[in-house]
Amino acid sequence: SQDHYDYGMRAVRSVINAAGLLKRQDPDMDEDQLLLRALRDVNVPKFLKDDLPLFENIILDLFPGVERPQISRRELATAVDEQCVARNLQPVPGFVEKVFQLYDTIQVRHGLMIVGPTGGGKTSNYRILQHALTSLAHLEEFEAVHVDVLNPKSIKM
């Protein structure tokens, strides 16, 4: 059991918000595929690697015979690769997937925390996404991103 796993009403609301966003983007998409993608987009980023096979098996049981929806991220993928190269980082598939997961998460959540070990790529992840989205701001579906970093030790509770 992980403390950051959330199965309450907020989690359900996030899936519904994600499904609504996907429906607006693609009104003709099959609703089973749409819900399947929303469930994955909202939940996969917060699962540990060892829990992903269990989640995938649950999804297969809930949606038998439903094919995994194909996601077109051509512009974003190209921008992420370019920003990685510009910052002397290798755009390895695992890192790029984490950037996409962060992107999917910020589409449905107002606030989030990126957690992980020192040197795990947390800062590089959000900075690459920031620069990639800013470089795509000339396209209608993307906006320039400005980041303000707060030191959590500077906040008195």
Side-chain angles (χ1 to χ4, degrees):
S1 174
Q2 297 296 317
D3 292 337
H4 64 279
Y5 288 2
D6 177 14
Y7 299 106
M9 290 308 291
R10 282 187 321 206
V12 172
R13 185 173 186 272
S14 293
V15 172
I16 292 169
N17 286 342
L21 182 68
L22 292 170
K23 187 68 171 176
R24 285 188 291 279
Q25 288 174 350
D26 188 358
D28 299 325
M29 184 180 208
D30 177 69
E31 290 195 2
D32 284 342
Q33 285 189 322
L34 187 138
L35 189 55
L36 179 62
R37 179 169 170 208
L39 282 165
R40 276 199 173 101
D41 288 354
V42 169
N43 289 299
V44 168
K46 59 186 169 184
F47 287 145
L48 298 176
K49 175 180 58 172
D50 295 338
D51 294 334
L52 285 174
L54 177 62
F55 176 74
E56 289 299 328
N57 287 332
I58 292 170
I59 290 294
L60 288 173
D61 288 344
L62 290 172
F63 298 93
V66 177
E67 288 187 34
R68 189 176 190 162
Q70 298 300 315
I71 304 167
S72 174
R73 300 179 192 242
R74 190 174 330 119
E75 294 95 355
L76 184 57
T78 300
V80 167
D81 287 348
E82 289 171 356
Q83 294 303 320
C84 283
V85 170
R87 285 158 180 72
N88 295 320
L89 297 172
Q90 296 179 0
V92 295
F95 177 77
V96 172
E97 181 60 29
K98 286 294 180 187
V99 173
F100 291 156
Q101 288 177 1
L102 177 60
Y103 176 73
D104 291 338
T105 301
I106 63 173
Q107 297 303 304
V108 295
R109 299 233 185 234
H110 293 289
L112 58 94
M113 288 188 292
I114 303 172
V115 297
T118 302
K122 301 176 297 291
T123 301
S124 295
N125 183 309
Y126 82 77
R127 285 184 179 165
I128 291 296
L129 181 60
Q130 171 195 7
H131 295 295
L133 292 174
T134 300
S135 74
L136 295 172
H138 63 280
L139 300 175
E140 184 177 319
E141 62 195 277
F142 299 103
E143 295 180 19
V145 176
H146 178 75
V147 174
D148 289 312
V149 178
L150 299 176
N151 181 345
K153 296 175 183 175
S154 70
I155 301 172
K156 188 172 183 173
M157 301 287 283

